Each structure stands twice: as C-alpha cells, then as structure tokens.
Amino acid sequence: MAETRLKMALVGCGGIAQVHWQGIKEIASRVDVTAVVDTNSDSATAMAQLTGAEAFFDLEEALKNGDFEAVDIMLPHDLHESAALACFSAGKHVLLEKPMAHSLESAERILQASQKVTTTFMIAEQAQYWTDVIKARELMDAGAIGEVISASGNFYDRVVIDPDAPPPWRYSLAISGGGVTMDGGAHWIRPLRMMMGEVDEVIGVAGRHVPRMESESWSRMLMKFENGTVGMLTCQNVMHASGPTDMFRITGSEGELQITGGRDGQLLLFNKEHPRGEVIMSAVEGKRNSYGEEINDFCKVVLDGSTMAATPEFSLGELRTALALYRSIESGRWEKVW
C-alpha cells in the first residue's frame, strides 16, 4: 500500500526555513515540499532550487495556484495573523512558527479563527521536543531529586552587528512585539513549563544594550509556578566573549538535574547515588533533531489523526509569560500570566 504523504508549502524563505527544510529531509520524511513563498524573489527562487518546489512571490497567488495541503508559516511576527487567516480560509493545515503573533489580541484572533475550521492548526515550538528536557521531567516524576523546589534557566544569544546593514526585523518593536524574552527566550520558557508546570505570575527587570534594538536585549525574570515551586530565567543578547553556563538547573530536596549547553551539552543527575554527577544522556542530538520532530508531529496529526504534543492554546503560554514580564517592568509588581 502506498505511503500517505503531505504536500507542504514553506511560507517565508529566511534562515529558519533552511533549518526546517533540513528537518524535513532528516526526520519528517512523509512531507513533500511542493511550494515555497516569499515576497523576496531572490529568497524564494533560491529556496525553490534547494527544495525542487515551485516558487511563489505572493501568498494569495500560492493559495490559488499552488499544489499543497499544508503550510509552514515562518514570517515576521506581525504577519502571522494575516497569513494564518488566509490559509485557514483556503482550507490549508497550518503550522505556525512561534510566537503565535506579535500581540495577545492578534493571537486570540488567530485562535478564534482556527476553531472555526476543521483543518489542523499547530504552533511550531521545537523546545517541546528536546529529549533532554523530556527525560529530565521523567526523572523528576520518578523522584530522582526528591521534592522539586526551584529551577533556573539561562538563554544567551550571540549577536553579530553590522553597523552598515539595515537592522533585522526583530529589532522593530512594531514587527516583533517584544525583545529577547518573547523571541529566543520562548525556547527556554517552554522547557521550564514542561518541567515545572504552568507559570502563575512573574516579576522582573529588563534593559537595552544592543544598538538599534527597540525592545529589551536582556531580562531577568522571577517566576512562580502554579504548584508552588519557583524559577528564574535570564535572557541575554551577547556581543562579546562569554563563559559557559547551565542551560537549566532543577533543584530538589534530594539532588539536582543540570542541562549543560554547547557542543558537548549533557543532562546530568546529582543525588545521593551520584554525588559527583551521572551523565544521563547527550543534550545535543535531541536539540538538533527537534525542528524535524515538530514538523513530523504536525504531519502525524494531519495524516494519522494523532494527538499533537502541545495544543495552540498551551503554546500561548510563552507569549503570555513574556507579556506578563513586560507589564511587571511597568508596574513594579508581580503580574499574572493567565
């Protein structure tokens, strides 16, 4: 019997599209990229040559004339709503890069529209598929570190600045909706939610040190989780040499879990049986494969009717957490996430 396959259009042909294409080739093997869409004709043409797909320079034209059932939307944040709604109206299955939108109001309109169609809607958040985070939660549930008390996360993103080039679209507050916390920091908020449970309220500080970046380029956030545990998240753009740090550290009454970063990243367990630390697994391959795994998950939902790892409603949590931080900076108080 012939294998059921999914025809997909890549909407947006920037850097993230290259990574998604690699994930399709290596992991999401039942996906056929049959169209690529970008208003930049050079980007669309280059992606078409790479994938063998048909190039379109306008989403409306692609939806009218392209041969595909699903879209993978990878556009600047402020374009998510118009693109998603157009694809819903055209009867397409929609995989939408995080954050859902550049504002909560826009995200809620997307959610409302998605609930009126029968096609699949999913938010692409690769951290949901980080195997070290999944394993860490399993160890926590098994009591490996006793009663869980607290967590910390550190997101450092290296920035290379060309003063003669136009600023990236992410530097525009109107386009992005926020800074480092809402953007790359979301990939750290999701694992903290996966390991510690839902975030209840946050308080923090932030500032700007990256030239021409309109929103925060660094933030420090304290988090209270609904189960009574606490956490701290550091998000930082760096323009200089920096030392190694934990990606995550989970502390319990009887031990700790540590996830290290870099090319040799590992999940480590420290407890009575392993006082010097036991290497549980590599943290590298699971992260590298996570882009393909998220697309594969979407593909299985569409083709097989399986249950997605995280619903769009759950995926709103990273945006809401970042927005709560921004409110707390203005108010100087703890702010509720939900």
Side-chain angles (χ1 to χ4, degrees):
M1 186 169 62
E3 180 183 56
T4 307
R5 304 187 64 79
L6 181 65
K7 294 179 181 179
M8 177 179 281
L10 304 182
V11 181
C13 298
I16 191 64
Q18 310 289 327
V19 183
H20 279 216
W21 168 240
Q22 194 66 30
I24 290 170
K25 290 193 298 180
E26 295 180 358
I27 306 292
S29 57
R30 288 198 290 166
V31 172
D32 295 320
V33 175
T34 56
V36 296
V37 187
D38 202 297
T39 55
N40 184 315
S41 59
D42 290 340
S43 296
T45 300
M47 200 69 194
Q49 292 174 346
L50 183 65
T51 60
E54 184 177 4
F56 293 91
F57 311 130
D58 177 78
L59 179 57
E60 184 178 349
E61 180 194 355
L63 291 172
K64 182 178 179 180
N65 298 314
D67 179 22
F68 54 91
E69 308 148 275
V71 294
D72 182 359
I73 299 175
M74 298 165 284
L75 297 172
H77 305 164
D78 66 327
L79 300 178
H80 284 193
E81 181 181 353
S82 59
L85 267 56
C87 293
F88 290 149
S89 296
K92 307 300 182 183
H93 303 283
V94 176
L95 178 64
L96 176 62
E97 258 294 336
K98 68 84 204 163
M100 194 179 300
H102 66 308
S103 71
L104 184 57
E105 294 77 13
S106 181
E108 289 177 340
R109 288 192 293 268
I110 293 172
L111 271 178
Q112 290 170 4
S114 74
Q115 293 162 1
K116 297 176 182 178
V117 299
T118 58
T119 48
T120 297
F121 174 49
M122 186 175 125
I123 298 297
E125 172 49 81
Q126 74 264 25
Q128 182 68 41
Y129 306 90
W130 287 355
T131 52
D132 52 339
V133 171
I134 295 169
K135 183 63 177 180
R137 179 58 194 257
E138 291 175 358
L139 291 168
M140 294 162 67
D141 289 343
I145 59 173
E147 181 181 355
V148 178
I149 300 170
S150 64
S152 64
N154 294 287
F155 169 63
Y156 287 83
D157 189 27
R158 187 165 301 283
V159 174
V160 178
I161 296 177
D162 181 353
D164 298 322
W169 64 259
R170 283 182 164 83
Y171 284 20
S172 167
L173 182 57
I175 295 175
S176 65
V180 65
T181 315
M182 180 186 287
D183 195 6
H187 301 312
W188 266 243
I189 296 172
R190 173 64 64 90
L192 287 170
R193 295 174 68 211
M194 291 168 64
M195 293 186 287
M196 304 296 288
E198 192 54 89
V199 186
D200 181 27
E201 54 184 344
V202 304
I203 192 170
V205 294
R208 299 196 303 269
H209 72 291
V210 175
R212 299 187 292 174
M213 188 170 178
E214 294 178 356
S215 193
E216 89 283 1
S217 54
W218 65 265
S219 66
R220 307 287 186 272
M221 176 166 52
L222 293 176
M223 316 166 80
K224 292 180 182 178
F225 297 93
E226 290 180 350
N227 58 17
T229 59
V230 296
M232 180 174 69
L233 176 62
T234 294
C235 297
Q236 180 86 48
N237 288 135
V238 294
M239 300 178 290
H240 49 69
S242 59
T245 187
D246 300 334
M247 290 183 69
F248 299 100
R249 184 180 291 266
I250 312 297
T251 300
S253 59
E254 299 175 15
E256 284 193 328
L257 289 164
Q258 178 188 23
I259 298 178
T260 63
R263 295 180 179 178
D264 300 318
Q266 297 174 321
L267 169 62
L268 302 168
L269 169 63
F270 297 82
N271 58 14
K272 184 178 180 180
E273 289 75 27
H274 309 291
R276 296 187 177 182
E278 175 77 5
V279 176
I280 302 300
M281 63 184 296
S282 168
V284 177
E285 185 175 357
K287 289 186 173 63
R288 186 181 69 83
N289 291 342
S290 60
Y291 293 95
E293 291 295 349
E294 69 183 1
I295 299 170
N296 194 46
D297 188 20
F298 175 73
C299 179
K300 289 191 293 184
V301 173
V302 173
L303 296 181
D304 306 330
S306 63
T307 301
M308 65 183 68
T311 65
E313 291 79 6
F314 180 81
S315 297
L316 201 57
E318 287 73 48
L319 175 61
R320 294 188 70 105
T321 300
L323 293 176
L325 168 67
Y326 300 155
R327 294 197 305 273
S328 82
I329 293 169
E330 295 295 324
S331 70
R333 299 189 300 267
W334 288 91
E335 294 284 347
K336 289 287 187 178
V337 171
W338 297 92

